[in-house]
Amino acid sequence: MQKQIQNTSISMDSEINSAFRELKFRSLLRRSGIVKKRGYDTVGLMFLFVLLPFLKRKLTEFWSSQCLENQVQAQKETYYRFINHERFNWRKLVYFIAMKVIARRGETALKDKVLIADDSIAPKTGKDIELVSWHFDHKTNRSVLSNCYLQLGYHDGAYFYPLDAVLSTTSRRPSTKMRDIDKRTCGWKRRKEALEKKTDALLEMVQRAWDQGVDASFLLFDSWFAHDAIISKVYSIGYGVICRVKKGNVKYAYQGREYTLNQLWERAARKQTVSLIGSDMKGVCLNVSLPQSGDVRLLFVTDRSKNWQVLLCTDLEMEASQILSYYARRWAIEVFFKDAKQMLYMAKEQSNNFDALIACHSLVMIRYLLLVYILGKRQMTGPVGPLFRELSDDQNVLVVAQSLWEKVKELLLGSRQVLCYGIEPDVMNYILDIIEKTIIDQMSIASAKL
């Protein structure tokens, strides 16, 4: 009977647990080379890392929280070795998960599929963080010590799926020290790409997406990447381009002559603008030519004042309202950055190790993909915030219920001579089932009140 009590556990599941099983995380980890020869189960460690923001706890609290003492059996060195491992192929794991989640979505028309690229910086205070550097922050108009995350994602018209990321650095680094590791490892390769130009890193990410079979009609990005060479190379890979263009000195061939954007606006576009369907703006499309990209379409748009902007599209037949509609979808990656920083612990890692930075951002992408997967299962669209808060409440209920059940078992075992004397095993099992059901019901009521 004592053995029966010890082996009894709360049979309360969560949607995150179910998603892990349905996506076959154990197999995906093995295929990505994320395995351990001995010790704590790899998929168990991964599950606990994914749960961190849902439980509203930092990694250091895993072994200091009494609420989690029965869930976590590994020592803290096990966790740090896991995220600091330079041989784990986190990029491959994220792609495996993303492609599975995208496939579960079903058929989507090619015109609805786009790739989106953008970067975001996360300020840091530690000058000893590996490859941390100074980046210009457009919000504060000054350089800040930070990590720069160059992100590529896929959007199918309903959901955003993070696919790939590069942690980019500049030459303005407070420390040039790098961890001495085997140069054949994934960790060393990620360090090398961090030292590349962001434009080169972007092209490599786009090429990887193509090689992985990501089908999309256009790549969307802001004016920072809007260079003739970049547009040409993305188009040669197989994707069209829609982007905002800087008002610089670049010249575009139009009707046999070359003009800058300012000249095109004053001499050709300004007087031809018309009201755009479904928008309160006016605009006009002009087909021009660039030295490397060839013929492209420029959309001049204005808010009926002196302010005007230019969008570029590689589709020469696309209507102005369609170009605007496509470019508006670039906002999805901004929403991802916002949700990732506020809810999913993006850039909240406490480590000087570059491998840990890669692992933690990969975990952020995995958490987001799980939320999108669960939204798809529920056949819901919209932001992931409400779902995150609901799953967070459910997961905390589960942890508290399991902890409470462990205390009940300790009580039963400690007083078995009084409580269990003469009770048949079948009767005891029935009593345990009643206690377990009562705990789950009470915790569910508490969760509903939250």
Side-chain angles (χ1 to χ4, degrees):
M1 190 174 295
Q2 181 176 347
K3 186 176 180 180
Q4 177 65 40
I5 294 173
Q6 288 176 329
N7 292 335
T8 303
S9 61
I10 286 282
S11 57
M12 188 177 178
D13 204 357
S14 72
E15 288 187 88
I16 301 176
N17 300 56
S18 300
F20 258 68
R21 291 193 301 271
E22 291 160 6
L23 294 173
K24 299 182 179 178
F25 259 70
R26 189 180 298 277
S27 173
L28 299 183
L29 286 165
R30 185 171 59 252
R31 291 168 60 191
S32 304
I34 302 178
V35 294
K36 294 171 80 275
K37 294 182 179 179
R38 57 184 179 273
Y40 201 77
D41 189 27
T42 306
V43 72
L45 283 172
M46 173 63 71
F47 183 70
L48 291 170
F49 273 114
V50 168
L51 282 186
L52 275 172
F54 293 93
L55 297 176
K56 296 180 175 61
R57 285 178 171 79
K58 298 179 182 178
L59 180 60
T60 52
E61 294 180 88
F62 260 2
W63 43 83
S64 62
S65 173
Q66 293 183 348
C67 185
L68 291 170
E69 62 184 356
N70 296 304
Q71 313 300 319
V72 185
Q73 300 171 3
Q75 299 297 318
K76 64 180 180 180
E77 289 80 8
T78 304
Y79 295 97
Y80 286 119
R81 281 199 304 268
F82 186 80
I83 61 172
N84 291 340
H85 207 300
E86 69 274 10
R87 296 185 183 275
F88 290 171
N89 196 334
W90 288 100
R91 174 170 284 144
K92 183 180 285 189
L93 176 63
V94 172
Y95 256 114
F96 278 149
I97 297 169
M99 297 305 287
K100 276 204 165 193
V101 175
I102 292 170
R104 297 291 181 101
R105 170 82 169 131
E107 290 296 326
T108 304
L110 178 61
K111 65 181 181 65
D112 293 328
K113 303 175 183 178
V114 297
L115 290 173
I116 309 173
D118 200 2
D119 61 350
S120 179
I121 64 171
K124 294 290 181 180
T125 56
K127 293 186 177 181
D128 292 330
I129 299 174
E130 192 175 2
L131 292 179
V132 70
S133 60
W134 294 91
H135 297 271
F136 184 78
D137 186 356
H138 293 279
K139 292 182 179 179
T140 60
N141 287 320
R142 63 185 183 89
S143 292
V144 295
L145 187 65
S146 57
N147 286 328
C148 179
Y149 298 85
L150 178 58
Q151 183 73 47
L152 182 71
Y154 167 85
H155 195 270
D156 62 0
Y159 306 107
F160 178 81
Y161 308 79
L163 296 178
D164 199 353
V166 171
L167 266 71
S168 180
T169 189
T170 68
S171 58
R172 300 167 58 203
R173 298 193 299 275
S175 174
T176 58
K177 293 181 180 179
M178 286 200 296
R179 184 182 175 195
D180 185 19
I181 57 175
D182 190 333
K183 292 178 174 53
R184 297 169 295 179
T185 61
C186 294
W188 181 257
K189 293 175 183 177
R190 298 296 289 259
R191 285 168 171 80
K192 281 186 64 179
E193 75 176 14
L195 299 171
E196 296 177 352
K197 293 181 179 179
K198 279 198 288 186
T199 50
D200 293 337
L202 171 66
L203 291 172
E204 289 174 4
M205 286 200 297
V206 174
Q207 184 64 60
R208 277 194 295 270
W210 179 266
D211 295 339
Q212 291 288 336
V214 179
D215 203 14
S217 54
F218 294 99
L219 171 66
L220 314 178
F221 50 79
D222 205 352
S223 59
W224 202 92
F225 298 102
H227 303 288
D228 187 16
I230 301 297
I231 296 167
S232 174
K233 289 177 182 177
V234 171
Y235 192 73
S236 67
I237 290 172
Y239 299 114
V241 172
I242 295 178
C243 63
R244 191 162 65 89
V245 186
K246 293 179 181 178
K247 301 174 186 176
N249 296 322
V250 176
K251 292 194 174 183
Y252 301 80
Y254 178 67
Q255 295 183 348
R257 298 185 64 180
E258 292 188 341
Y259 302 92
T260 64
L261 288 179
N262 283 307
Q263 291 169 343
L264 273 173
W265 170 251
E266 292 294 338
R267 300 180 186 183
R270 186 173 185 176
K271 297 178 181 179
Q272 300 181 46
T273 57
V274 295
S275 297
L276 301 180
I277 299 174
S279 172
D280 59 354
M281 293 188 292
K282 297 178 68 177
V284 62
C285 289
L286 301 179
N287 288 347
V288 300
S289 180
L290 284 167
Q292 297 184 48
S293 302
D295 293 337
V296 296
R297 194 168 179 83
L298 295 181
L299 169 60
F300 290 81
V301 291
T302 176
D303 57 359
R304 301 176 187 271
S305 66
K306 293 183 179 180
N307 298 320
W308 57 278
Q309 297 292 337
V310 185
L311 301 180
L312 181 148
C313 178
T314 53
D315 186 340
L316 301 179
E317 303 297 328
M318 186 171 288
E319 296 291 334
S321 57
Q322 289 180 291
I323 297 175
L324 274 178
S325 177
Y326 268 109
Y327 190 73
R329 291 170 61 182
R330 199 192 67 83
W331 185 249
I333 200 169
E334 302 288 356
V335 175
F336 164 74
F337 283 133
K338 176 177 176 292
D339 289 339
K341 290 177 180 179
Q342 292 185 355
M343 297 186 298
L344 304 180
Y345 285 11
M346 176 178 168
K348 297 293 178 62
E349 64 279 336
Q350 296 175 319
S351 176
N352 292 338
N353 191 315
F354 187 75
D355 296 300
L357 302 181
I358 293 293
C360 289
H361 189 68
S362 300
L363 286 165
V364 168
M365 292 190 283
I366 291 170
R367 291 169 188 138
Y368 199 89
L369 287 167
L370 286 171
L371 289 171
V372 172
Y373 173 72
I374 295 170
L375 273 178
K377 277 181 61 180
R378 295 185 179 186
Q379 297 183 339
M380 297 170 57
T381 57
V384 300
L387 175 63
F388 170 82
R389 288 185 285 273
E390 177 188 336
L391 294 178
S392 179
D393 290 341
D394 291 345
Q395 202 64 50
N396 277 283
V397 164
L398 174 57
V399 170
V400 173
Q402 289 175 329
S403 180
L404 180 58
W405 180 229
E406 292 296 326
K407 301 301 182 183
V408 171
K409 285 199 295 185
E410 290 180 13
L411 175 63
L412 291 173
L413 290 172
S415 56
R416 63 185 181 277
Q417 294 296 331
V418 177
L419 298 177
C420 305
Y421 181 76
I423 299 178
E424 294 293 329
D426 290 342
V427 176
M428 191 62 202
N429 288 339
Y430 179 67
I431 295 172
L432 293 175
D433 289 341
I434 292 175
I435 296 173
E436 179 180 330
K437 184 177 184 305
T438 302
I439 291 173
I440 293 174
D441 289 345
Q442 290 301 314
M443 297 308 296
S444 298
I445 293 171
S447 177
K449 289 181 178 179
L450 290 175

